[in-house]
Structures are given as C-alpha cells and as structure tokens.
Amino acid sequence: SSSKLGATLQVYFHLGELPQAAWSAVSQSLATAEKAASQFFNPASLQRLQEAAENEAQLAIESGNVSSNQTPASKKHGEEAFLQRTIAKKLQIERSEAASRWANAVCDAASRVSNLQRVLSRKSDPVSRVNFLTVVSEASIPDKFTQAAESCGLNDDNKKNFSILNLFWHQMCIGLGARIQRLVKYNNGKLEGEVAALYPFVRSAALDMLGELTDVMHLGYLGKGEEGDGGGGIMGGSAVLEEECDILLNTGIGGEDGSVVPGADLWTRDVEPSQSNSDSEGKPSIRNSSGRRVGNDSGGIFGSEWKTLQGHDIVGMYPLQCSFMDASNERLCAPLQYLFPEEATVEEGGVTLQILPTLPSKYDLAKVENCIREELATADPRQGGGEFGMTVMICENIVDMVESFCAVASGATSGVGDEENDGDAENGYLHQNDGTATEALNHDLKLAGLMNALSEALRNAPEQTFLAPYRPTQSPQHDEAARICALSLLPAIKLIQNLVKKSILSPLSHALNERVSAALANMHLGTYLEDNNADPMENAGGGEFVQTHLTKLYESIASHHLAKLPTEYGSIVAETVATYSIYAFASNVSLVRPLGEMGRLRITQDLADFELALEQLVFAGNGGDTGRNPGGGGKHSNATASKGTLSGMEGYAELRALRQMLFWNGFEDATASPEDITKKLLLEAWLADVRPSTVFNYLFSFAPNTLTSPHHSKRMLAEEYVRKYLVRTLDGSVEDGETSAWMTTMACCDAYQQRETVGITSGEDVGDRRVAAVLMSLGPELLRRRGH
C-alpha cells in the first residue's frame, strides 16, 4: 500500500540509501517488463503459437465438424479448406492471448513504478521537509537508464521535469524496439511475415493496457493497500495520494527549490472530462478496443506514454509497425502486377502493328476489392484486435496502392488523351463520317468503367467491412470506424477521378466539342439573313437551325457516348459539352451580321429549341432516359425534370440574357450621344450575365460596313475566331479570351476612325456611326466589372 511504501522509503531516507532503493525498485520493474517481452518476441514463441493453432485446428477436424455426406475427394478438399480457416482463427486467438499476457506484465511493472513515483512526489521528511523525489533526482542516474535520460533530455546539469516513470517507460520502449528489430531480421527476415502479423494484436493490447492504467490512476486505486486501509495516506489521514493529479506523469519538480509543492487547489480542482471525439489539435482521438480514449491529446495522462510506445526509428513498436505496413502494402499491391500486361506488337509482313493494352477482367478487379476488404478487416474492432488508429493506417496503405494502380492504368489508355496527341482527339476518338466511337474510344470507355468500379468498391468498402457483417445490430464503434475509413479513402477516390478526367473524359469532351463547333459554323451560311421576298407572317414562327444541325447531334452524343459511360463520368462529359455549347452558341450568334428583325425572331425561337436540346443532353448524362424523341410529346416532362440541373450550370445565365440583348434598342434615338447610349446600356440588368466579348460583337451588327467585324480583321472565319479566341473546345473555358477580344475590338475601331478621317466611306454604307465610339467607352468599364 502507499502507506507502507511511504514508511519504507522513510527508513531508506534515514539510512541515506533512498536513491539506491528507488532505482533498485525501478530496475526490478524494468526487468519484469523485459522478461515479458523476451518471452513474447522471440522465434520460439512464434513457433509455439503456430503449433498450438495447428493442434487445436486438427482436434476440430477430428471431432467431425466437416460434413461426411461427401465423396472422398470432396471431403478431403473440404477438410483442407476447413483446416486452413480454423488455423487462421485459432492463430488469431493465440496471438491475442500472448499479446495480452505481455501487456499485463508491462502494466503491472508500470503500475509499481507509477505508485513509487506518486509516493516519492508526495512524501517529505517530517524533520527536514525535504521532498523524496528531490533526493532521488539529485542523485546520479544509473547507467541502465542512460539512453532513456538522453531521450528525455536529462543530464546531471539539467533535471527539470524529472520523473522515474518517464525514464522507466522510455528505457522499456528502447529495449522493446531493439528486441523487435532483431526478431524482424532473424534468419535474414525469414520470420518477418509472422512478426508483422503480431502488430494489430500488440497495438490493441497496448491500448487496452494504457486505458486500464488511465482508469486505475483516475480512480485512485493505486493507493489502496491489500489490507483494505482505504488509502488513508502516508501520514495516516492525508488523502492526497488517492486524488487524481496530473503531476504524477506530466510534472516532477515543481517548486523553486526543486521540490514538489502541491497546493489544496491542486487537490480539489474540478477536472471536467472531455466530451469531444477530437484532441486539442483537431485530430481524431484514438480509442482502444474497449472504447476508452487513449491520450492523443496532451492533457491525457498517458498521452506521452502512447507516443513513446509507438516510437520512431528502432524505438517502441515502430519496427513492428513498419513491418506490418510493408506486409500490408505487399499484399495490396500483389494483384497489380498481373492486371495490365505490357503492350504487345504483331509483325505482319515486316510492319509492326501496335495493339491496345489488355485490360483486367471483372474477376481480376474482384480480387483487388477482396484484398482491400481483407486489409480493412484487420482494423475491425471485433476481428484482429483493430481500432480507429489502425483504420487510418491501413487506409493510407490503400491510398498508396490506388496511386500505384492509377500509375499503371494511365499507361493502359489508347494514348489519344496524351498531351502530345491532344490536338488530334477528334480524329482518334470519333469517326469523321458519322461521329461514332473508334476502337480507341471504346477501349478507353471500358477502362473508365473499370476505374469507376474500383471507385465504387472504395466507397462501399467501409460499409461492407464494418457495418454489413453485423446487421441488424449496430455498434457506435463500427459506425465510427466506417466514418473514419470513408474519410481516409477520399484521396484514393479523388486520384481515380482525376486520372479518368485527364486521360479519357477531357479528350472525349474535346472531340465532341469540335463536332459541336463544326455544327455551329453553319449558322454563318445565311441562316439568319433577311429575305425581303418572304412573307413575314410565314417566317415569324421561328428558325430551324437548332432542329436541323444540333438536336440530332446531341441525340447522337447521348446514345453513342454518354450511354456507355457510368453516370458519374457521363454527367461530367454532358456538362462540359453543354457549357461549351452555350458559350459557343452565344459567341457565334453575336457575330452574325447583318442582323435584322426577322433574324432576331428566328434566333429567339432557336434559343428555346437550343435550351430544350441541352436539357435533354444533361438529363441523358445524369442517367436519364435517352430513348425518347425530343420532338415527341414526352420531351417536356423530361426537360422539366432536368431543368434544375441545366439552370445551375456555368453559362446558363448568359443563355437566358441573350434574348434580352437581341432586342435591345439603344440606337433608335438618333439624337442620343455615344456617352448617353453607353450609360443606358450599362444600366441594363442583363449586362451582368453576358460576357463583354458577346456584347462587343453584337454591337457590330448596328455598325456601318466600314467598321470591320473582329473575325474579318483577323482574316479568319467566324467559327474559327470563336474556337481560337473566345471559347476553348477542350473544357469550354472563356476567361482567357476576353482580353484578346477587347484588343481586337479596339483595333477594328481604330481602323474605322482612320477611314472616317480620310473620308473612305461607301455610298451604300448603312449603319450607325456611333457604334465605334460606344464600343471604345463601353469596353474598359465592362472589363473592369468582370475583373480583367
């Protein structure tokens, strides 16, 4: 008991042998811990565990647990399979029990040292009032604990925060790490696999041990003697030894003179238990298999002890952890070497033919999924002695495996999406005559499906591993393990998505956007020119450009390409194509010149058809029914269901604002100055949703013929100007072209003003001469608002 220990220490103090007695007790406890480690971490012990598991499994076979209603051959095969499963289960039990025995021995030794530390820090000589811990700290540290003293930063000149428990713990961890390191390297690493398999059980037993020590210290049981004295205290009435105090492990010498001076406020303070699942740094706290939180936080009694036991280099359990992680990574990466065979070539008549890489089968992918679940099962709180920290560690290994998988899979594409072939994506992915998929695209689409299957397996792994096997029962520990696992696997899912998007989806979107761009080029072949001989009432009903050139194209994209992609990837392609289509359509419409009232009416009707076609495309990309005819009676219901998706896309606001821009009539007032027109235009609500380049190009439709259009000044076709300067076909981005569009507009206005200065005008030059002045005053303000 604490009282007897205090009396014994008082005797040694009077004899002048207190430091020697204290260090002798610590050395005995260290010897006990080292003996337990030597009995557990040695080749003979591993061999005994294996033999015990095999013997118990053989007894189970002999007891007749295998069905006898089988043929001799099938019975023999069943017995062998049953034997292997039983050996694996029994070996887990044996390893868990052995780890528990080691942990209990260490726990007993640490409890004795912590009790000694507790008494030394509280006991003082009644006459000299010298604290016993001060006496021990002033003496020299034995050679056996020299390495621990260096690790704690202690020496003869600096003994601040001296603690014999810290020295004992560090020295125990140093010896443990060295012993494990020798076992790992025993016989050239022959036992490395068996040693690595011990880690989950050792880690779980260590956490249980620390949790038990924490509980014992918090409850004050260490001060109660075997005789049931109730822990009355060393001096026969003081209960200070039975109070919870953090100075036991986290502090030592506290007073100015080097002595510990615990005050009454320190004994009676109200310690509020932490209600958080995270430590002070925001990191998830680690709980042992019993659900007790084991100090990741600095305020936990055994926080530093757990970090020391985890170790580094060759200290603590770190060599065992490294061995386990290496073995886990080897098991995870083992199936990868057979998934993507090297590219083969066939020589035919002296010509070397390139063959597309071979892709893994569903069976191959299923082996990878099973391997992932088996590794995660090691961290199952009910299997393998796992806990939350193990979950994070194994998930990090899985992320590394997925990174290797993606590196190998990136070399299994057709090569069309490579940077050097980026400009030839349309020729590599689509047939020129009908736009159907080539063999290279079909190959990459299969690869995308394979990567999506792996991504879904990673998403489902937490539930399949930690929750599904135990349903309908629920466990908070399993729920938390599944949540932590899902968060830890997000980087792996992101790696897969980035690979597919870069190598397959972006080149495919580029090729499809090229087809859309070619279809939009037909807009400049007189589609919206005024026909003076036509009946206005006949043509007021709307245009036919979208129905003729775009609707069927989008139907083909949905049926031939989006339908072959998983929904996750199909939505990305559909949104990319739709975004490019919106911006490209707006830019091409703004370049139509001349543009009269009849042309504006036709564009307005085409805008309605265009929006409906895009809604169908986006709906198909999100897994909707692509079989309905957009011209039939069922199109409105589908469009209504998917309109919310289209309305949230980038560029949709410009598509809606385009109608208002087409019927802006700011030049009708012939007496208004360019400054007044600019001011009125800047007050328009739709102006905030339209790109400056679209407004610039549209104003050219009001200008005289001598004000050259931007694409004419560049000596290129309108569709080429849009594709090169305004909207990128690769991803539909538009921000890069606004500044260059304004520079081109200024050059056109400067050339027009020079023509006016020298009097170069045509007699048939119709249009408003104020357009150039309006453009020059409007441009800087629009670019400023957009942030350029």
Side-chain angles (χ1 to χ4, degrees), residues 295-366:
N296 257 0
D297 55 323
S298 58
I301 260 189
F302 282 97
S304 61
E305 278 68 19
W306 170 240
K307 294 178 182 177
T308 305
L309 185 58
Q310 283 183 302
H312 58 85
D313 295 334
I314 58 172
V315 177
M317 298 189 301
Y318 190 74
L320 189 61
Q321 175 183 332
C322 292
S323 179
F324 170 77
M325 295 296 286
D326 291 342
S328 175
N329 187 66
E330 184 177 350
R331 290 192 297 268
L332 285 169
C333 295
L336 299 187
Q337 55 184 329
Y338 305 108
L339 293 184
F340 298 95
E342 293 185 2
E343 234 177 286
T345 57
V346 177
E347 294 188 359
E348 195 172 289
V351 179
T352 303
L353 302 177
Q354 295 293 332
I355 296 179
L356 291 173
T358 304
L359 299 180
S361 63
K362 292 183 179 179
Y363 173 75
D364 296 329
L365 188 61

Side-chain angles (χ1 to χ4, degrees), residues 557-718:
I557 291 175
S559 60
H560 291 117
H561 306 298
L562 300 184
K564 298 178 181 180
L565 284 169
T567 302
E568 178 184 1
Y569 301 148
S571 62
I572 295 176
V573 175
E575 290 177 8
T576 303
V577 174
T579 300
Y580 172 80
S581 300
I582 290 173
Y583 284 131
F585 187 88
S587 296
N588 278 280
V589 164
S590 65
L591 288 173
V592 173
R593 184 180 179 190
L595 186 61
E597 292 297 327
M598 189 62 64
R600 289 181 171 85
L601 288 174
R602 292 173 179 170
I603 292 176
T604 302
Q605 179 59 35
D606 277 338
L607 282 173
D609 295 339
F610 181 64
E611 183 175 347
L612 187 60
L614 289 182
E615 287 170 352
Q616 295 283 356
L617 178 68
V618 175
F619 183 60
N622 284 280
D625 182 11
T626 60
R628 294 191 178 186
N629 181 9
K635 67 178 181 180
H636 296 290
S637 60
N638 281 348
T640 302
S642 61
K643 186 174 181 179
T645 304
L646 180 63
S647 62
M649 286 177 49
E650 181 183 359
Y652 182 74
E654 179 168 338
L655 184 66
R656 303 290 292 180
L658 202 59
R659 295 183 178 88
Q660 303 178 49
M661 185 188 74
L662 289 172
F663 292 96
W664 176 74
N665 55 1
F667 288 102
E668 286 186 353
D669 187 0
T671 62
S673 64
E675 291 76 12
D676 293 336
I677 296 174
T678 302
K679 291 179 181 178
K680 291 181 180 179
L681 180 57
L682 290 173
L683 294 176
E684 294 290 338
W686 53 265
L687 194 66
D689 298 326
V690 182
R691 287 170 293 148
S693 61
T694 305
V695 180
F696 300 154
N697 297 337
Y698 174 67
L699 292 180
F700 276 90
S701 64
F702 297 97
N705 297 333
T706 50
L707 179 55
T708 309
S709 295
H711 56 285
H712 288 161
S713 68
K714 290 287 187 180
R715 299 182 183 277
M716 59 179 59
L717 298 175

Side-chain angles (χ1 to χ4, degrees), residues 331-403:
R331 290 192 297 268
L332 285 169
C333 295
L336 299 187
Q337 55 184 329
Y338 305 108
L339 293 184
F340 298 95
E342 293 185 2
E343 234 177 286
T345 57
V346 177
E347 294 188 359
E348 195 172 289
V351 179
T352 303
L353 302 177
Q354 295 293 332
I355 296 179
L356 291 173
T358 304
L359 299 180
S361 63
K362 292 183 179 179
Y363 173 75
D364 296 329
L365 188 61
K367 290 197 296 186
V368 177
E369 297 175 7
N370 291 333
C371 192
I372 292 174
R373 286 198 294 269
E374 288 176 1
E375 291 302 315
L376 287 176
T378 310
D380 192 327
R382 294 190 184 180
Q383 294 182 10
E387 38 74 43
F388 299 156
M390 281 283 294
T391 304
V392 177
M393 291 169 53
I394 294 176
C395 287
E396 290 176 354
N397 254 3
I398 294 175
V399 173
D400 293 339
M401 182 274 292
V402 172
E403 186 175 2

Side-chain angles (χ1 to χ4, degrees), residues 403-450:
E403 186 175 2
S404 301
F405 186 94
C406 292
V408 179
S410 62
T413 61
S414 63
V416 175
D418 296 342
E419 293 182 1
E420 57 269 18
N421 298 328
D422 186 59
D424 196 35
E426 183 179 11
N427 295 331
Y429 268 166
L430 305 176
H431 291 116
Q432 294 296 315
N433 53 352
D434 55 1
T436 55
T438 62
E439 183 181 359
L441 177 56
N442 287 328
H443 172 85
D444 287 351
L445 291 180
K446 292 180 181 178
L447 180 60
L450 180 73

Side-chain angles (χ1 to χ4, degrees), residues 377-539:
T378 310
D380 192 327
R382 294 190 184 180
Q383 294 182 10
E387 38 74 43
F388 299 156
M390 281 283 294
T391 304
V392 177
M393 291 169 53
I394 294 176
C395 287
E396 290 176 354
N397 254 3
I398 294 175
V399 173
D400 293 339
M401 182 274 292
V402 172
E403 186 175 2
S404 301
F405 186 94
C406 292
V408 179
S410 62
T413 61
S414 63
V416 175
D418 296 342
E419 293 182 1
E420 57 269 18
N421 298 328
D422 186 59
D424 196 35
E426 183 179 11
N427 295 331
Y429 268 166
L430 305 176
H431 291 116
Q432 294 296 315
N433 53 352
D434 55 1
T436 55
T438 62
E439 183 181 359
L441 177 56
N442 287 328
H443 172 85
D444 287 351
L445 291 180
K446 292 180 181 178
L447 180 60
L450 180 73
M451 302 301 290
N452 180 72
L454 179 59
S455 179
E456 288 298 320
L458 292 174
R459 289 190 178 95
N460 297 330
E463 180 178 357
Q464 295 295 327
T465 304
F466 299 107
L467 300 179
Y470 305 106
R471 286 188 177 130
T473 60
Q474 284 186 334
S475 167
Q477 285 182 284
H478 285 97
D479 292 339
E480 183 67 11
R483 185 188 68 83
I484 293 175
C485 181
L487 291 176
S488 302
L489 290 179
L490 285 179
I493 298 175
K494 190 67 175 178
L495 285 172
I496 296 174
Q497 186 176 11
N498 290 341
L499 171 66
V500 175
K501 188 173 182 180
K502 177 182 178 182
S503 302
I504 301 174
L505 302 185
S506 291
L508 175 59
S509 300
H510 186 192
L512 296 176
N513 289 340
E514 290 287 350
R515 292 198 66 201
V516 173
S517 177
L520 290 173
N522 297 310
M523 184 185 300
H524 303 283
L525 301 179
T527 302
Y528 299 119
L529 291 179
E530 299 289 333
D531 188 355
N532 296 328
N533 297 324
D535 185 357
M537 298 304 296
E538 248 177 56
N539 292 278

